[in-house]
Amino acid sequence: MEKAKVMLIAALSALMSWLGILAVPVFLMVGCNVIDYITGIWAAKYRTERVNSYKGVRGIIKKVCMWLLVVIGAWIDILVNYAIECTGVEVSLPFVAATIVAVWLVVNEIISILENILDIGVQMPPFLLPVVKYIKKQVEDKTGLADEKENREDV
């Protein structure tokens, strides 16, 4: 048992070291994915929709696709670092794109969790959901995501 504990701690430490600034958003995303899935199942009882295996599998596929978005962000970061390295510049950027993607996804998951909790009928402080939506808007504004969203809606 002690050996398994040591190996788990070593693996997590190596993963966190490799992820760097991406570690916190990734671990938050894991927690939010699980909590959103569970609260979504609970909230379905209070909505007109019914829980079924199709919707459950679809929810899991959506969570996996979120992870793929973070992986794609990491690939973009790797390509940018490679391009910088090929120019002879000695600069290494951390996982910038992947971190922005992960933070945006975490904020969306938090909004979904809060909406699920509201649908269940739990009283919530009136400022909580608007604050999270404001954070999402700030992430979108600072990264230009809001402009891109408007451009897609115009098409």
Side-chain angles (χ1 to χ4, degrees), residues 92-125:
S92 179
L93 298 175
F95 288 113
V96 177
T99 301
I100 292 169
V101 169
V103 167
W104 187 81
L105 289 168
V106 166
V107 171
N108 275 332
E109 288 288 272
I110 291 171
I111 290 170
S112 179
I113 292 165
L114 294 176
E115 289 171 347
N116 291 340
I117 291 171
L118 280 172
D119 286 349
I120 292 170
V122 176
Q123 287 290 320
M124 189 178 307

Side-chain angles (χ1 to χ4, degrees), residues 58-112:
R58 186 169 175 251
I60 291 170
I61 290 170
K62 283 175 68 176
K63 304 298 182 200
V64 170
C65 287
M66 288 179 187
W67 286 98
L68 291 176
L69 289 174
V70 175
V71 168
I72 290 168
W75 289 347
I76 291 168
D77 290 323
I78 291 167
L79 284 172
V80 167
N81 278 318
Y82 176 74
I84 290 171
E85 184 183 308
C86 287
T87 63
V89 177
E90 295 291 326
V91 175
S92 179
L93 298 175
F95 288 113
V96 177
T99 301
I100 292 169
V101 169
V103 167
W104 187 81
L105 289 168
V106 166
V107 171
N108 275 332
E109 288 288 272
I110 291 171
I111 290 170
S112 179

